[in-house]
Amino acid sequence: MTAYLFGIYESRYFWTHLAFADLRSKWRRSFLGVAWSVVQPLGMTTLLAVVFGRIFHQNIIEFAPYILSGMITWEFFMATLIGGSLSFVQADAYIKQYRHPLAIYTLRTTLTNLMVWMMASLSLIGWVLIVKPQSFGWSWLAAILAFPFAALMAWPLATCLAYVAARFRDLPHALGLILQAMYFVSPIYFEAKLFRDGGLGALVDYNPIYHLLEIVRAPLLRGEWPTTANFAMCGIAGVVFSALAILIGRSAERKVIFYL
């Protein structure tokens, strides 16, 4: 395992180059370029805030940051897991020529989407500073921890999916349906109180996505420090997903080349 991690470190210039190349190609020849990572979530948030604000009789100005924080976080996971499941298939030319650890290709996808999420977070910070300046304080530093915790969960899970998708090419299509179902059972746009009042508290309390969102929302939206349970649940999820990726990788890494 140590040798495998050292191999990932040794090839760091390769996978970081691929990640930045993905970023450049993402907005190549577009007029706004990287600004789309801020403009797009802001536009979608405005639309959803107006609709949900009318339906649930919420204050649109205060409800919008809640929606925006959930949307950009969920977009990171969705892009990383679906893109990660295709990482080996799309990198087959590299895999057939070089003997790098295969996990670098899902790390590439994770890093790319992590940088997009960081840029999109600027829109959230700007919006909160305007509509909720009273929440600004030292607790905001805790929100930075959402990025490493998210990467700790998303990278190994994307790696597991990539091993499976190399053998079963239908997985990325099915994954879209699975993530859509998870979207409705996670407090992305709806407040956790609605789940608990409906007797579905377990979908919140044992959902690592909720606890990751709390690491973002508690400091930025309420000016509070996230709870120990929030960090613990994210850490446990990351360890479990990492252990699963290691187990699958030990038996499947050498077989991937035959499926490509």
Side-chain angles (χ1 to χ4, degrees):
M1 185 60 196
T2 303
Y4 193 86
L5 292 175
F6 184 70
I8 294 176
Y9 175 76
E10 279 193 321
S11 57
R12 63 192 181 280
Y13 297 113
F14 177 57
W15 51 262
T16 52
H17 169 76
L18 292 178
F20 282 109
D22 289 342
L23 276 180
R24 288 192 294 268
S25 64
K26 184 178 179 67
W27 296 293
R28 183 174 295 162
R29 296 188 179 181
S30 67
F31 181 74
L32 293 179
V34 69
W36 276 115
S37 63
V38 176
V39 173
Q40 190 172 9
L42 279 176
M44 192 64 181
T45 297
T46 303
L47 175 62
L48 291 173
V50 172
V51 174
F52 288 152
R54 293 290 183 86
I55 294 175
F56 297 105
H57 306 289
Q58 295 274 358
N59 185 322
I60 295 176
I61 294 178
E62 293 187 359
F63 192 45
Y66 187 91
I67 292 178
L68 181 56
S69 61
M71 182 169 59
I72 60 177
T73 304
W74 183 253
E75 284 292 329
F76 162 75
F77 273 97
M78 188 168 64
T80 302
L81 297 186
I82 294 179
S85 67
L86 293 168
S87 293
F88 296 165
V89 176
Q90 294 175 342
D92 63 336
Y94 296 121
I95 294 174
K96 291 175 181 177
Q97 295 182 57
Y98 305 103
R99 295 190 61 182
H100 294 301
L102 294 186
I104 68 169
Y105 300 107
T106 51
L107 179 58
R108 160 199 184 179
T109 304
T110 304
L111 180 60
T112 300
N113 292 309
L114 192 65
M115 288 188 285
V116 173
W117 182 25
M118 288 179 177
M119 289 182 284
S121 297
L122 296 176
S123 60
L124 174 62
I125 293 172
W127 197 315
V128 172
L129 285 175
I130 293 173
V131 302
K132 288 189 173 184
Q134 68 276 9
S135 68
F136 180 75
W138 289 108
S139 60
W140 278 38
L141 294 175
I144 300 174
L145 297 175
F147 298 117
F149 272 112
L152 179 65
M153 290 191 290
W155 178 28
L157 192 53
T159 304
C160 294
L161 294 171
Y163 283 122
V164 178
R167 179 66 178 85
F168 302 101
R169 301 298 174 88
D170 291 326
L171 178 62
H173 304 288
L175 197 56
L177 294 175
I178 296 171
L179 291 176
Q180 190 173 22
M182 289 185 62
Y183 157 82
F184 287 107
V185 297
S186 299
I188 307 300
Y189 300 143
F190 307 111
E191 293 184 351
K193 183 177 180 295
L194 294 176
F195 290 88
R196 293 194 173 99
D197 290 346
L200 299 174
L203 294 179
V204 173
D205 297 330
Y206 301 103
N207 188 340
I209 298 296
Y210 162 73
H211 291 281
L212 180 68
L213 285 171
E214 278 298 292
I215 295 176
V216 176
R217 287 170 172 165
L220 298 184
L221 304 188
R222 302 193 299 272
E224 302 172 354
W225 290 92
T227 65
T228 304
N230 297 144
F231 292 114
M233 284 297 294
C234 291
I236 291 171
V239 170
V240 171
F241 294 152
S242 297
L244 186 61
I246 292 171
L247 290 175
I248 295 176
R250 283 181 175 177
S251 60
E253 178 129 355
R254 294 181 180 179
K255 300 177 184 178
V256 167
I257 190 67
F258 300 107
Y259 299 141
L260 299 178

